[in-house]
Amino acid sequence: MSAAGPQRSANPVPARRSAAAQPQAWGHSFERSHDRVSPYVLLTLAPLFWSCNWIAGRWLAHDVPPLAMTFWRWFFALVILAPFAWPKLRRDAPLVRRHWKALLGLGIIGIGTHNALSYLGLRYTTAVNGVILNSFIPVMIVALSWALLRERLAPLQVAGIAVSLGGVLTILSRGSLATLAALRLNGGDLLIVLAMAMWSMYTIGLRYRPPGMHVLSFLFVIACIGDLVILPMYALESALGLPMHWTVQGALVLAGVALFSSVLAYVFWNRGVEGVGANVAGMFVHLMPVFGVVLAWLLLDERLAPFHLAGIALILCGIVVTSRFAPAVSESPTVASLE
């Protein structure tokens, strides 16, 4: 992004940090902290935050229609991001102008279309179907990487994906083949499949982030694009008789979703994909049902059954195998750095 970073003060030890410098200082601290963290840790935290989003979405279902949920979730995320991203965005303005096509595509696919299709699909299908279809993201990423970029996985990595997928299906079928065979798909499931395809394309497309663009300004730009895409659909939803019902609790939950499931989860996911590549990163989506089971056990007092433990073990085993035998990811000139 454009000119050099913030200017140093002539006084090497300022007596007091100005209020305007606080967001910028926070931004530098944030960069240094998560740049030191393993990408595998970041890829683990992202599905944890997204799992919390599913719980929040179900809790707000009666008061917040799906497109309203999508719009306001990202509106609050932009409010949170603005003071930290704006100094970076001013510096990165030339990159935004130069790479506007890539940013436009990533914003439409990864923020607007993906989120809108997910929430719409969940109005017409069950949460179980949604999670099952969500678990096919790693397979979609591998297939699209091969079809579009001619990337291949080692045989052991393919085996790891299969083992992890088996763990997901073990949890969702409750260890019963009859339950899995009884699964029926509908129009809502098709919307979920399209949403998963959009997310897979977004994950692969992260390699086309403008080189040198700061992670916060990148997320701010694509979030603006995505929310503008959602806005007319949200307006149509309200006009068709699905208004937003505001409550204090609902606003607080939306703010929490914006911070954790939008800002932090997306930053962590983008950084993780940069560190290990799209194929390996996609495997970590399988952690969502794991976190769902554990959160239900901790927060809802639901019992952990043997099939839960078997499924979790298979998922973790598959992730370890796929990650262990992943080729090293060399830094591409098309991948943005954090500085």
Side-chain angles (χ1 to χ4, degrees):
M1 319 216 187
S2 88
Q7 300 295 320
R8 297 180 184 273
S9 170
N11 182 0
V13 186
R16 177 174 298 184
R17 187 177 295 170
S18 68
Q22 291 292 341
Q24 196 168 352
W26 183 92
H28 285 308
S29 175
F30 175 79
E31 296 159 23
R32 291 193 300 268
S33 62
H34 83 75
D35 196 29
R36 290 194 299 265
V37 176
S38 164
Y40 297 109
V41 173
L42 299 176
L43 289 170
T44 300
L45 290 173
L48 171 60
F49 296 155
W50 285 325
S51 299
C52 295
N53 174 51
W54 281 57
I55 294 175
R58 288 196 296 269
W59 189 74
L60 293 174
H62 294 294
D63 295 323
V64 186
L67 293 175
M69 176 77 177
T70 308
F71 175 81
W72 288 109
R73 163 189 173 179
W74 283 103
F75 179 84
F76 281 124
L78 287 168
V79 171
I80 294 170
L81 274 172
F84 310 114
W86 186 250
K88 313 297 183 183
L89 187 58
R90 292 178 62 189
R91 185 193 74 183
D92 292 341
L95 285 176
V96 174
R97 290 191 291 270
R98 192 178 311 136
H99 299 277
W100 67 269
K101 292 182 180 178
L103 293 169
L104 181 66
L106 289 169
I108 291 173
I109 292 173
I111 305 292
T113 310
H114 162 68
N115 283 279
L117 288 172
S118 296
Y119 286 119
L120 280 172
L122 286 174
R123 284 187 66 85
Y124 304 105
T125 189
T126 64
V128 170
N129 279 28
V131 175
I132 288 177
L133 295 171
N134 200 74
S135 68
F136 284 96
I137 285 180
V139 178
M140 287 184 178
I141 290 176
V142 170
L144 289 171
S145 294
W146 175 83
L148 301 177
L149 305 173
R150 297 304 179 193
E151 290 187 358
R152 297 182 179 180
L153 290 179
L156 280 175
Q157 288 183 284
V158 175
I161 290 175
V163 170
S164 186
L165 182 60
V168 173
L169 297 179
T170 297
I171 292 175
L172 299 174
S173 67
R174 305 179 68 83
S176 168
L177 289 176
T179 301
L180 192 60
L183 179 68
R184 296 292 179 268
L185 302 181
N186 56 36
D189 298 315
L190 178 59
L191 293 173
I192 297 291
V193 170
L194 290 175
M196 299 307 103
M198 293 298 103
W199 183 252
S200 301
M201 292 179 65
Y202 168 78
T203 299
I204 295 171
L206 283 173
R207 67 177 53 219
Y208 301 112
R209 283 167 50 188
M213 189 170 188
H214 192 276
V215 63
L216 295 181
S217 54
F218 169 75
L219 181 57
F220 187 82
V221 169
I222 65 170
C224 285
I225 293 169
D227 227 21
L228 287 173
V229 170
I230 295 164
L231 180 58
M233 294 186 283
Y234 166 43
L236 179 62
E237 177 185 69
S238 299
L240 293 176
L242 290 173
M244 171 92 171
H245 299 290
W246 285 101
T247 64
V248 174
Q249 286 184 329
L252 291 175
V253 171
L254 273 173
V257 167
L259 174 60
F260 290 98
S261 301
S262 296
V263 176
L264 294 180
Y266 269 72
V267 168
F268 290 173
W269 182 262
N270 294 348
R271 180 64 183 90
V273 172
E274 180 184 333
V276 303
N279 287 336
V280 174
M283 287 293 299
F284 285 77
V285 174
H286 283 167
L287 289 175
M288 288 184 66
V290 173
F291 288 129
V293 168
V294 173
L295 288 171
W297 174 53
L298 293 175
L299 303 177
L300 304 177
D301 201 27
E302 294 187 5
R303 185 174 62 90
L304 275 177
F307 67 82
H308 287 133
L309 300 178
I312 290 172
L314 287 171
I315 290 170
L316 296 179
C317 180
I319 290 176
V320 169
V321 169
T322 304
S323 303
R324 173 67 178 81
F325 294 97
V329 176
S330 59
E331 188 167 351
S332 166
T334 60
V335 176
S337 68
L338 296 177
E339 294 297 339

